[in-house]
Amino acid sequence: MAGGRIRAKIRRSSLYTFACYHSHPSEAEGPHDIEGPGYSRMVYCNQPHMHEQKPFRYCSNYISTTKYNVLTFLPKAIFEQFRRVANLYFLLAAVLSITPISPFSAMSMIAPLAFVVGLSMAKEALEDWRRFIQDMNVNLRRATVHKKDGTFGQKPWMKIQVGNVVKVEKDQFFPADLLLLSSSYEDGICYVETMNLDGETNLKVKRSLEATLSLDDDSTFKEFNATIKCEDPNPNLYTFVGNLEYNRKVYPLDPSQILLRDSKLRNTAYVYGVVIFTGHDSKVMQNATKSPSKRSRVEKQMDKIIYFLFTFLVFISFISSVGFIVKTKYDLPTWWYLQVPDDRGYFDPRDPLMSGFYHLVTALILYGYLIPISLYVSIEVVKVLQALFINRDLHMYDEETGTPAQARTSNLNEELGQVDTILSDKTGTLTCNQMNFLKCSIGGVAYGTSSSDVELAAVKQMALDEDRQSKAGTPPSWGKGRQGSGESEIELETVITSKDEDNHKPALKGFNFEDSRLMNGNWFKEPSADVILLFFRILSLCHTAIPEQDEVTGVFTYEAESPDEGSFLVAAREFGFEFCRRTQSSIFVRERYPSFHEPIEREFKVLNLLDFTSTRKRMSIIVRDENGQILLLCKGADSIIFDRLSSYGRTYQESTTKHLKDYGEVGLRTLALAYKKLDESEYSSWNEDFMKAKTSIGGERDLMLERLSDMIERDLILVGATAVEDKLQKGVPQCIDKLAQAGLKIWVLTGDKMETAINIGFACSLLRQGMKQICMTSNVDASAQNSKQTVKENILMQISDGSEMIKLEKDPHAAFALIIDGKTLTYALENDVKLKFLNLAVNCASVICCRVSPKQKALVTRLVKQGTGKTTLAIGDGANDVGMIQEADIGVGISGCEGMQAVMASDFAIAQFRFLERLLVVHGHWCYKRIAQMICYFFYKNIAFGLTIFYFEAFAGFSGQSVYVDWYMLLFNVVLTSLPVISLGVFEQDVDSEVCLQFPALYQQGPKNLFFDWYRIFGWMANGLYTSLIIFFLNVIIFYDQAFRPGGQTADMIAVGTVMFTCVIWAVNCQIALTMSHFTWIQHFLVWGSVVSWYLFLLIYGELRLSLNVNAFRILLEVLAPAPIYWCATLLVTVACNLPYLAHISFQRLFNPLDHHVIQEIKYYKRDIKDRYMWRRERSKARQTTKIGFTARVDAKIRQLRGRLQKKYSSHGKDVVVTQQT
């Protein structure tokens, strides 16, 4: 098989001159000294049986992200349930209900508690089961593993052991952390995509040791044995220290030979590797944290309310007991007919304190209806139904992947409506890593007529503003004097649109350029055709990409280290310069030059490649063309290139600078292109020094290479510049804009380099032209302790300077962006610095953290969450985002991407970032208001009901007697009032979804907690207190000595209790009807059906034998229904209970309306249809003032265009005055 296997022909070592020189200095330096703690792991390669017993038995490759397992479910789930203070109280009450002093039967207390706790635990089990299924989908993936005698077979990931030899093929994920032994390339290199680990999409080059290159076929592993001694499991993705003992020699290992779990093999047919770390020992899982138990702020606040009510319950129970003691001591001896003291001592005038203690226990159970036992289970049911609506929302369904939104836990639904800060990953979350070549500047001439999204939106918005002002009858001041002109001034000022619309072709991936002057060989006719030729050759030659030809279509695609490099190659191909082949020493390009219709394949010898780094900010390639001319071709940041131009190479600098500024203003990523011709002698002398530096070993190697690179990259000649539009995921700028208008702050945490992150920031409008950037970096070597202190002082100074800059800024439109790299962030997150860093960050409009590790993402999230005390949401798509997703109050995973770790760790999963807008602005807003109103209403109805029991007990001499039949009380929370409140929590809408999106400022009602602050909570409690007073005392006044039946009889306790309970049912159901803003037939059915069910229950109960025990036989048919006073009292009490609330909401709507009240009025009177101008005006007011997002960028562009127009008209006015004077 060795002879027949496919071999790649490229020896990549000659291309990566900085990183991958063939001599392997690490091997030459000898093995690592790794004795001591932290380096105890021994791996017996190809001998997994050695790891089946201690001390070499390591963890399996099975992974789990669940909260529970079979053994821990019951104890942990029960603990979770009884962390809720209400459940703890009802557990105590259930225990006490077994004793004789309970006013209720034991079953009436135990059954509801068991139902509530059981239902909640079943929901937890179901959600964790779903996590388990997703885990098993990963664990059961298949891998090709060496079995014995050189034969390989399939095995599930979970069965892979340390020491197994694994064969991984192209586009497969690595099942564990592997040591690379060999690959399909001759020199043992492979290309790895680590997007799931560090968020970067550019391919990493990994390379095996030369000693293992011969292990390149299945059969070679028949006799393979080796031993690895290395570091213990740790979370550091970028370091590895170990030694390989093979064929009686010891070789040092470093990170360039390690293939990490969840990274992906790309552009390589296959690799062989030996398993070092499995399962939770792998570096990606070491970066993960355990699934936390998250509780929403509303639920935590609810616990405080229950503490308050429990305190109130103890207080009134104590008052009741004191009253009972007084009655027992002074009045009970005179009530001879009660036959006191009783046998059990519950009513003993001789020991009133003991009787009072017994009564205290009775009262604590009796008044328990102040604390609603069905509250938690009702909330659980509501949240599950809310989650179902989120899952079924077609507006969050991704048709391309067939992926719906998924609420993986329903505990945090209302938290979605209270988010203050969003922390987002970049790669795969905001971007889809595709660049579109849009414009270019060549030889001082701008090419490309396509408009960017920012340009189009600015013009559209200005046209809309002009239309509004003209309708309002107030023409804009900047438009004076334009009457009589044949067209709108805005049209004159707008960007040039494509002149070739008739010949418009479908957009290619990576290429959205339109300009007939360069296409189809027309550039031959341009005055600067020689410069254009150089421009195209730089695009097609200055890169490190690998071409791949489609066998069917014959079209070349390119695997590039960065997406913009890929877009340059696509552009070069469309312009007629197709990069088609690469060998270890040459690049071949098919040039449609000098004839566009007859391509010629030209070979360019690659002499040297000077890589792009974040420090250099440029890349160069030195080639020899077919004429023998040596050329240095360079591309890089314009500031870097301009500094390296020769005096005669600046011909086009002024015009190119202007074009670059224009491109930057509309959000395009730019690079400058330059070249230099080299003499043979000049190059030979430099190359000799360069090769010496490249082959040297030691700490000075990189510095020498950088110095020599800088030396040759001087005296360049400017050719032009490129402008590419970063291809964000669909709808990302609009989503960020809407979230910014909703008042949300957005931080980007990425593993990418700073330049890429900044460009993405511009693309998605987190950054814009004119925004002042505070870039925090640490360039000092922090190896020594004193150097670390110096670095920290430097960072503190940068923080201080940034804070001072913001403080002194006078311009109201000024915006600041904080950009910080991972190395600096390490110091910024230390205890004595982090609060100062946070204060600076929260004062900036946007924050971008670059080159951050997964651990740092989690630490930043924790800092924001704890430092601001506000709700945080983290969103990401890869395994590197798991830490921050779990650390944030809410974690959202992108489920449309390849890796599923983020989804498995998340609370909510969506297919694309743009769906976050609807998840928060619509569902978050609804869920917060629904849950808040539902909880407030729950406390209201239970206070209204529970206090009537207290009043009657005081009225009846603190006897512990309830005015209500036990069955009434049992059904009150479980049946008679539960369904209407569930309908409120599920179906209530203050405004519909479209209005939520059109008026994003409505979202701020959640972060400001307008519907669940203490003012509103106590308002609802006061309403409950008022309702209880009206229900009890009005009924007592009416029925105290009033003839009740035709025979002149007065009402007994059962009759009065039933009338009072009827009034409670009517009052609380009418109250919930007044609370609702949005009615469906379901709500009508449940609200009024609850009232009807009460009468049906009375009808049935009165016919049962049970009613005879409490003197309630035919209580409705024969006792209450025939009495007009029953119906009159019900009507009077219901109206009296709800009249104050009706007056309150009427007064509020008239004199102090909330935002949604105004919108409801507009919609009700259909002014949104009849008066579109007013509707647009209200919409423009209903957004938070923001300095980020597409709207902020458009506003800035409008200010710029208006400034130009004002200048133009002012100069035009002066010309008119001069003409008149002459």
Side-chain angles (χ1 to χ4, degrees), residues 156-317:
W157 278 23
M158 60 189 288
K159 297 292 185 182
I160 291 175
Q161 297 174 272
V162 172
N164 275 137
V165 173
V166 179
K167 182 178 183 179
V168 180
E169 297 182 345
K170 183 181 177 182
D171 294 331
Q172 289 182 348
F173 289 100
F174 299 115
D177 289 354
L178 311 177
L179 168 68
L180 175 62
L181 298 175
S182 64
S183 77
S184 57
Y185 289 98
E186 289 180 353
D187 48 0
I189 65 156
C190 69
Y191 301 102
V192 176
E193 183 186 273
T194 59
M195 188 176 73
N196 277 339
L197 304 180
D198 55 18
E200 293 191 33
T201 52
N202 54 307
L203 304 182
K204 309 292 192 303
V205 180
K206 299 288 184 176
R207 184 167 186 165
S208 67
L209 297 172
E210 288 190 6
T212 60
L213 286 178
S214 59
L215 301 168
D216 55 3
D217 186 66
D218 290 1
S219 58
T220 59
F221 290 94
K222 184 176 181 179
E223 304 295 333
F224 170 65
N225 283 307
T227 305
I228 298 171
K229 185 172 184 181
C230 64
E231 63 187 24
D232 293 334
N234 64 75
N236 199 321
L237 297 172
Y238 306 110
T239 63
F240 181 84
V241 178
N243 290 328
L244 172 70
E245 185 178 344
Y246 177 54
N247 288 341
R248 299 182 180 180
K249 291 184 179 179
V250 179
Y251 304 93
L253 303 175
D254 60 48
S256 65
Q257 286 103 38
I258 304 302
L259 307 173
L260 299 181
R261 178 186 177 121
D262 277 337
S263 51
K264 191 176 187 182
L265 185 65
R266 299 293 301 273
N267 290 0
T268 311
Y270 59 85
V271 296
Y272 291 100
V274 63
V275 177
I276 300 176
F277 298 120
T278 49
H280 290 276
D281 282 350
S282 63
K283 288 186 180 287
V284 66
M285 295 305 293
Q286 286 281 306
N287 272 280
T289 54
K290 290 184 179 179
S291 298
S293 294
K294 298 181 181 180
R295 300 182 71 209
S296 71
R297 291 167 189 268
V298 168
E299 190 172 337
K300 292 174 184 175
Q301 179 105 323
M302 188 170 67
D303 280 352
K304 295 176 184 175
I305 301 171
I306 290 176
Y307 284 127
F308 172 80
L309 286 179
F310 184 74
T311 304
F312 182 66
L313 167 63
V314 173
F315 174 70
I316 64 173
S317 298

Side-chain angles (χ1 to χ4, degrees), residues 568-828:
F568 293 156
L569 288 169
V570 173
R573 183 187 69 198
E574 294 303 306
F575 290 134
F577 291 74
E578 184 176 50
F579 165 50
C580 59
R581 191 155 51 98
R582 174 169 229 147
T583 67
Q584 65 183 58
S585 59
S586 298
I587 291 177
F588 295 84
V589 179
R590 289 178 188 163
E591 296 187 352
R592 296 182 180 272
Y593 172 78
S595 169
F596 187 78
H597 300 289
E598 297 178 9
I600 300 172
E601 186 173 296
R602 290 192 169 91
E603 178 184 2
F604 295 85
K605 297 286 186 182
V606 178
L607 304 180
N608 300 91
L609 186 70
L610 310 180
D611 278 331
F612 182 95
T613 67
S614 57
T615 305
R616 286 167 41 77
K617 297 184 181 179
R618 64 192 183 278
M619 174 197 172
S620 299
I621 187 170
I622 301 176
V623 297
R624 189 191 301 273
D625 65 16
E626 292 180 332
N627 298 323
Q629 176 65 57
I630 300 175
L631 297 169
L632 182 145
L633 310 177
C634 184
K635 65 181 181 186
D638 53 276
S639 57
I640 301 296
I641 298 296
F642 288 172
D643 287 345
R644 284 164 171 71
L645 297 178
S646 66
S647 56
Y648 55 85
R650 300 177 181 269
T651 308
Y652 312 121
Q653 183 176 349
E654 185 177 346
S655 54
T656 304
T657 302
K658 180 182 180 301
H659 297 155
L660 287 169
K661 183 181 178 184
D662 292 340
Y663 298 155
E665 285 175 353
V666 294
L668 301 181
R669 294 176 61 164
T670 58
L671 284 178
L673 275 58
Y675 81 103
K676 175 184 180 181
K677 291 183 178 180
L678 298 175
D679 295 332
E680 192 72 43
S681 58
E682 179 188 3
Y683 170 73
S684 298
S685 173
W686 174 85
N687 190 49
E688 185 178 344
D689 293 338
F690 188 76
M691 293 305 293
K692 286 179 182 177
K694 192 168 65 169
T695 54
S696 66
I697 298 173
E700 299 296 316
R701 177 176 179 269
D702 288 344
L703 290 174
M704 292 168 63
L705 288 171
E706 176 56 38
R707 181 178 58 79
L708 288 164
S709 298
D710 185 69
M711 184 188 302
I712 198 69
E713 292 169 326
R714 291 283 175 181
D715 297 325
L716 303 177
I717 299 172
L718 182 64
V719 175
T722 60
V724 296
E725 190 170 32
D726 204 341
K727 189 66 175 174
L728 298 167
Q729 284 197 15
K730 184 180 178 183
V732 164
Q734 294 84 347
C735 176
I736 287 177
D737 186 48
K738 193 72 73 176
L739 294 174
Q741 291 179 37
L744 293 163
K745 303 175 186 69
I746 302 172
W747 292 31
V748 174
L749 312 178
T750 176
D752 250 337
K753 57 182 181 285
M754 185 175 286
E755 291 74 20
T756 306
I758 289 173
N759 287 327
I760 294 296
F762 276 105
C764 60
S765 298
L766 287 171
L767 303 176
R768 56 182 167 82
Q769 205 71 21
M771 184 180 273
K772 299 175 182 178
Q773 296 180 14
I774 302 172
C775 293
M776 291 181 60
T777 57
S778 56
N779 298 319
V780 184
D781 181 15
S783 56
Q785 189 62 38
N786 59 345
S787 296
K788 289 182 179 179
Q789 187 59 36
T790 305
V791 172
K792 186 183 286 188
E793 289 173 1
N794 177 262
I795 290 167
L796 281 168
M797 184 172 293
Q798 291 183 57
I799 293 172
S800 176
D801 292 345
S803 301
E804 192 67 21
M805 189 192 310
I806 295 172
K807 187 177 178 181
L808 297 175
E809 181 58 54
K810 303 296 183 185
D811 183 4
H813 297 297
F816 292 86
L818 176 63
I819 302 156
I820 183 170
D821 63 20
K823 191 183 293 184
T824 311
L825 195 59
T826 303
Y827 296 94

Side-chain angles (χ1 to χ4, degrees), residues 27-60:
E27 291 183 48
E29 290 171 5
H32 298 292
D33 181 11
I34 55 173
E35 297 298 328
Y39 299 95
S40 63
R41 194 174 186 89
M42 293 291 295
V43 178
Y44 293 94
C45 303
N46 211 19
Q47 303 174 71
H49 61 276
M50 295 288 290
H51 298 285
E52 293 176 356
Q53 54 191 358
K54 293 184 178 180
F56 305 120
R57 185 175 181 178
Y58 304 122
C59 76
S60 71

Side-chain angles (χ1 to χ4, degrees), residues 808-950:
L808 297 175
E809 181 58 54
K810 303 296 183 185
D811 183 4
H813 297 297
F816 292 86
L818 176 63
I819 302 156
I820 183 170
D821 63 20
K823 191 183 293 184
T824 311
L825 195 59
T826 303
Y827 296 94
L829 292 174
E830 291 185 3
N831 290 332
D832 55 340
V833 183
K834 63 183 182 182
L835 290 180
K836 295 176 183 178
F837 165 69
L838 181 63
N839 289 333
L840 171 63
V842 295
N843 286 320
C844 292
S846 60
V847 180
I848 298 176
C849 302
C850 325
R851 283 293 183 194
V852 290
S853 67
K855 217 66 164 179
Q856 285 179 317
K857 288 186 177 185
L859 290 172
V860 171
T861 305
R862 182 183 302 170
L863 174 63
V864 177
K865 180 175 72 173
Q866 296 177 350
T868 63
K870 296 178 180 178
T871 304
T872 56
L873 180 147
I875 180 170
D877 71 312
N880 60 318
D881 304 315
V882 168
M884 74 170 182
I885 284 173
Q886 293 182 331
E887 185 63 49
D889 294 300
I890 305 169
V892 179
I894 303 291
S895 58
C897 297
E898 294 168 340
M900 291 296 289
Q901 261 75 11
V903 171
M904 289 190 290
S906 68
D907 306 302
F908 298 88
I910 52 179
Q912 292 189 29
F913 183 88
R914 63 190 169 98
F915 297 139
L916 187 63
E917 173 190 345
R918 188 172 181 86
L919 184 66
L920 296 184
V921 177
V922 177
H923 290 284
H925 174 71
W926 282 348
C927 290
Y928 163 72
K929 290 193 71 173
R930 289 166 175 171
I931 295 292
Q933 289 182 316
M934 174 185 172
I935 294 171
C936 288
Y937 172 78
F938 236 111
F939 288 120
Y940 152 80
K941 75 180 180 67
N942 276 69
I943 288 172
F945 174 60
L947 285 180
T948 58
I949 301 173
F950 171 68

Side-chain angles (χ1 to χ4, degrees), residues 828-1114:
L829 292 174
E830 291 185 3
N831 290 332
D832 55 340
V833 183
K834 63 183 182 182
L835 290 180
K836 295 176 183 178
F837 165 69
L838 181 63
N839 289 333
L840 171 63
V842 295
N843 286 320
C844 292
S846 60
V847 180
I848 298 176
C849 302
C850 325
R851 283 293 183 194
V852 290
S853 67
K855 217 66 164 179
Q856 285 179 317
K857 288 186 177 185
L859 290 172
V860 171
T861 305
R862 182 183 302 170
L863 174 63
V864 177
K865 180 175 72 173
Q866 296 177 350
T868 63
K870 296 178 180 178
T871 304
T872 56
L873 180 147
I875 180 170
D877 71 312
N880 60 318
D881 304 315
V882 168
M884 74 170 182
I885 284 173
Q886 293 182 331
E887 185 63 49
D889 294 300
I890 305 169
V892 179
I894 303 291
S895 58
C897 297
E898 294 168 340
M900 291 296 289
Q901 261 75 11
V903 171
M904 289 190 290
S906 68
D907 306 302
F908 298 88
I910 52 179
Q912 292 189 29
F913 183 88
R914 63 190 169 98
F915 297 139
L916 187 63
E917 173 190 345
R918 188 172 181 86
L919 184 66
L920 296 184
V921 177
V922 177
H923 290 284
H925 174 71
W926 282 348
C927 290
Y928 163 72
K929 290 193 71 173
R930 289 166 175 171
I931 295 292
Q933 289 182 316
M934 174 185 172
I935 294 171
C936 288
Y937 172 78
F938 236 111
F939 288 120
Y940 152 80
K941 75 180 180 67
N942 276 69
I943 288 172
F945 174 60
L947 285 180
T948 58
I949 301 173
F950 171 68
Y951 302 150
F952 180 80
E953 208 222 355
F955 197 74
F958 299 103
S959 60
Q961 175 67 50
S962 172
V963 69
Y964 304 119
V965 177
D966 282 5
W967 277 96
Y968 297 178
M969 302 173 75
L970 185 64
L971 295 175
F972 176 74
N973 278 321
V974 177
V975 176
L976 298 176
T977 60
S978 60
L979 294 180
V981 78
I982 288 174
S983 74
L984 172 71
V986 175
F987 298 107
E988 170 63 359
Q989 293 180 14
D990 54 349
V991 292
D992 63 38
S993 60
E994 289 302 315
V995 173
C996 283
L997 296 171
Q998 291 173 351
F999 292 79
L1002 283 175
Y1003 182 81
Q1004 278 301 302
Q1005 293 178 341
K1008 292 176 181 176
N1009 204 20
L1010 293 184
F1011 291 91
F1012 205 60
D1013 57 0
W1014 286 110
Y1015 172 80
R1016 190 168 291 261
I1017 292 165
F1018 283 125
W1020 275 98
M1021 288 183 175
N1023 191 17
L1025 174 64
Y1026 165 80
T1027 301
S1028 67
L1029 290 168
I1030 293 295
I1031 289 172
F1032 180 79
F1033 287 104
L1034 207 53
N1035 276 299
V1036 167
I1037 291 168
I1038 292 171
F1039 290 101
Y1040 186 70
D1041 52 9
Q1042 178 72 34
F1044 177 63
R1045 302 177 73 178
Q1049 300 96 330
T1050 56
D1052 61 5
M1053 186 184 75
I1054 297 301
V1056 172
T1058 305
V1059 175
M1060 286 170 57
F1061 199 85
T1062 303
C1063 293
V1064 170
I1065 296 299
W1066 270 103
V1068 298
N1069 279 292
C1070 288
Q1071 175 67 64
I1072 202 169
L1074 288 172
T1075 304
M1076 291 177 179
S1077 302
H1078 174 73
F1079 269 98
T1080 63
W1081 68 267
I1082 299 174
Q1083 286 153 293
H1084 279 296
F1085 176 77
L1086 294 178
V1087 171
W1088 310 121
S1090 294
V1091 177
V1092 172
S1093 66
W1094 162 241
Y1095 289 108
L1096 290 174
F1097 166 76
L1098 274 184
L1099 186 66
I1100 296 168
Y1101 180 72
E1103 300 295 327
L1104 299 176
R1105 182 173 294 181
L1106 288 170
S1107 61
L1108 294 174
N1109 298 333
V1110 292
N1111 196 28
F1113 182 68
R1114 294 195 172 179

